[in-house]
Amino acid sequence: MKKKILFVIPSLTAGGGEKSLVNLLSQIDFSLYEVDLFLFHHEGLFVDFVPKEVRIIPLPESYKTFTLPLISSVRNFLSKGNVSLAWKRVLFSMQSRLGKNVSVREQYSWRYMADALPTLEGKYDAAIGFLEKTATYFCIDKVQAHKTIGWVHIDYNKLGMDATFDRPYFQKVNHIVTVSEECANILIDCFPDVQDKVRVIYNIVSPTVICNMAKKDLADTYLFQSEQIKILSIGRLHYQKGLEFAIEACKILVDKGYNVQWNIIGEGEEREKLTSLIVNKGLENHVKLLGLKANPYPYIQQADIYAQTSRFEGKSIAIDEAKILQKPILVTNFSTAKDQIMDGHNGLIVDMTPQAIAQGIEKLMDKTLRQQLAYNLAKEKLGTEEEIQKLYDII
């Protein structure tokens, strides 16, 4: 008899956690597992990549109403005599504005959102909250499951969350999965009372799939001039990704006379800010914000250098993908950088400043160094498809 598993994630918009889930789902043995997926928003770049065997659970009407704009939502609830949910919708709106940061607002907003979500029907062998915060809270509060698993994709300390809110949820889950040893150590430091529950499962990446997709859609991705130094970054346009460092580093390189083009794949709340910075630095011909790309691999394939200028990461899927395509990689020295890059062997790790990033790019303009890094990457075993077995074991 098949085991029944539920995965929960807010949406499948572009992001490392979202891509990680789609990759994981593609590796599941559906002859052994029946899989449901609960999304708080039925939208996103990766929805079309969900395997056909996975059932996406319809959203309840009460939650659909809750997610309407405030006035429309309140009116709708009141017209149906549901004063309690109308009031909770008001409190949700207030909490969403009052929290000290985005993470804390999401944490405390759950107390009001939860009332709009009935408990799911049926019982699961395992319920997996595949992203921090709401996904895990939902699995504990709204799902009947023999085993519950929370998933943390990031350096917990860097999110600015209220650990006192998460602690009772972490005490209730059976396992807390994270994506690197460093992330696991950070979690254990924050929550020593649940250290026995912490497990490491690396993000699943498939070299075969990535190399095949890198050969597709090439006609649409010839964005570089042949004489330019071609640099690529991938990430949400968000403070975490430090993309203003990339733009300022590009300015340093251009001022030194280098002919570089730095393309950035991703979308997010900092688009306007980053666009203004590009214009203010006079870099319109050197930095391009390309938006979301369902298939980023041809862009990686064409780049001379892949650069990740993040302030913090869990375990970056984009870095793993660039490694698979044997691209010279530059990363900033965020806390988990050494989990993926050996400085000077398969990439460069530099200080988190525009000046250091520019100096690192200058080093990577040496074709001999780039070839050596690519050669070293070619010798590494980079596929992680077997990580799915770790999930089977804890289920």
Side-chain angles (χ1 to χ4, degrees):
M1 186 174 178
K2 292 183 181 181
K3 287 195 171 183
K4 193 171 182 180
I5 308 174
L6 172 72
F7 288 90
V8 180
I9 196 167
S11 72
L12 288 175
T13 53
E18 291 84 350
K19 179 179 281 190
S20 176
L21 176 57
V22 170
N23 289 344
L24 187 156
L25 293 174
S26 72
Q27 297 297 316
I28 284 182
D29 184 345
F30 292 105
S31 69
L32 300 176
Y33 297 93
E34 179 183 335
V35 179
D36 287 353
L37 174 62
F38 186 90
L39 302 169
F40 292 94
H41 304 283
H42 286 201
E43 60 188 18
L45 190 66
F46 300 128
V47 170
D48 292 339
F49 292 86
V50 174
K52 59 180 174 42
E53 295 89 348
V54 175
R55 181 179 77 103
I56 298 178
I57 298 173
L59 287 170
E61 290 302 319
S62 56
Y63 181 71
K64 289 181 182 178
T65 301
F66 196 88
T67 58
L68 293 173
L70 177 60
I71 299 302
S72 299
S73 178
V74 169
R75 283 177 176 169
N76 197 306
F77 281 132
L78 290 176
S79 70
K80 296 174 182 176
N82 197 332
V83 177
S84 176
L85 275 182
W87 177 236
K88 289 294 175 68
R89 181 62 181 84
V90 172
L91 293 174
F92 175 87
S93 182
M94 293 171 62
Q95 182 65 62
S96 297
R97 294 186 178 98
L98 293 176
K100 65 180 181 179
N101 60 50
V102 173
S103 292
V104 168
R105 290 198 292 270
E106 182 181 340
Q107 286 182 288
Y108 282 84
S109 294
W110 170 249
R111 295 179 296 187
Y112 309 116
M113 182 199 303
D115 285 359
L117 289 158
T119 299
L120 290 189
E121 294 180 2
K123 190 164 186 176
Y124 292 89
D125 291 288
I128 301 167
F130 202 76
L131 211 59
E132 308 81 27
K133 305 180 293 269
T134 306
T136 298
Y137 309 156
F138 181 90
C139 287
I140 293 294
D141 292 343
K142 300 294 178 178
V143 182
Q144 301 174 74
H146 176 68
K147 188 169 286 189
T148 305
I149 300 164
W151 217 287
V152 177
H153 286 267
I154 203 73
D155 174 342
Y156 187 91
N157 280 335
K158 301 297 185 182
L159 285 173
M161 295 198 292
D162 182 352
T164 61
F165 191 94
D166 278 340
R167 182 163 282 105
Y169 285 99
F170 285 173
Q171 289 171 341
K172 290 176 183 177
V173 299
N174 297 97
H175 300 287
I176 306 167
V177 172
T178 191
V179 294
S180 74
E181 284 76 10
E182 180 64 19
C183 286
N185 291 334
I186 291 164
L187 269 175
I188 290 167
D189 285 343
C190 293
F191 302 97
D193 53 322
V194 297
Q195 62 179 319
D196 292 342
K197 299 181 179 184
V198 176
R199 302 287 185 273
V200 174
I201 299 179
Y202 299 131
N203 292 319
I204 291 176
V205 290
S206 168
T208 301
V209 171
I210 289 169
C211 291
N212 286 339
M213 290 185 71
K215 299 171 186 175
K216 297 179 179 180
D217 308 319
L218 284 174
D220 296 329
T221 57
Y222 286 127
L223 299 169
F224 300 106
Q225 301 172 22
S226 59
E227 68 275 11
Q228 289 180 309
I229 299 295
K230 302 174 282 292
I231 308 167
L232 180 71
S233 297
I234 300 175
R236 190 156 56 100
L237 308 186
H238 181 275
Y239 172 82
Q240 173 196 342
K241 300 299 182 180
L243 291 167
E244 72 275 17
F245 297 152
I247 295 168
E248 291 166 2
C250 188
K251 175 63 173 173
I252 293 170
L253 293 168
V254 170
D255 286 348
K256 286 186 172 185
Y258 293 110
N259 186 9
V260 300
Q261 182 170 334
W262 202 314
N263 284 349
I264 298 170
I265 291 176
E267 197 53 80
E269 54 267 46
E270 290 205 337
R271 171 172 276 276
E272 185 176 342
K273 171 187 169 182
L274 296 173
T275 300
S276 295
L277 184 58
I278 291 167
V279 172
N280 290 339
K281 298 288 184 182
L283 295 172
E284 295 93 328
N285 294 325
H286 296 278
V287 181
K288 304 290 184 186
L289 302 180
L290 302 182
L292 300 175
K293 300 294 177 185
N295 181 9
Y297 307 118
Y299 297 85
I300 301 174
Q301 188 70 65
Q302 290 181 69
D304 296 311
I305 299 165
Y306 180 80
Q308 192 82 29
T309 60
S310 301
R311 288 182 166 89
F312 56 94
E313 291 283 348
K315 191 168 188 289
S316 167
I317 291 181
I319 291 174
D320 283 342
E321 292 167 340
K323 289 168 72 174
I324 286 168
L325 293 174
Q326 297 171 24
K327 291 296 158 179
I329 297 166
L330 177 144
V331 302
T332 43
N333 193 20
F334 46 83
S335 63
T336 59
K338 293 180 179 64
D339 286 347
Q340 292 179 275
I341 295 296
M342 293 174 59
D343 185 37
H345 177 74
N346 60 1
L348 297 184
I349 301 176
V350 301
D351 289 340
M352 206 175 291
T353 67
Q355 294 76 17
I357 293 166
Q359 289 170 6
I361 296 292
E362 283 188 272
K363 286 183 182 179
L364 290 174
M365 289 180 186
D366 180 342
K367 194 170 183 180
T368 301
L369 176 58
R370 296 207 304 272
Q371 289 173 338
Q372 183 60 51
L373 295 175
Y375 175 76
N376 292 340
L377 285 167
K379 295 191 293 183
E380 291 188 25
K381 181 185 179 298
L382 295 169
T384 55
E385 296 95 333
E386 71 280 359
E387 289 295 295
I388 192 71
Q389 188 59 50
K390 293 181 182 178
L391 179 60
Y392 293 161
D393 290 345
I394 65 174
I395 290 174

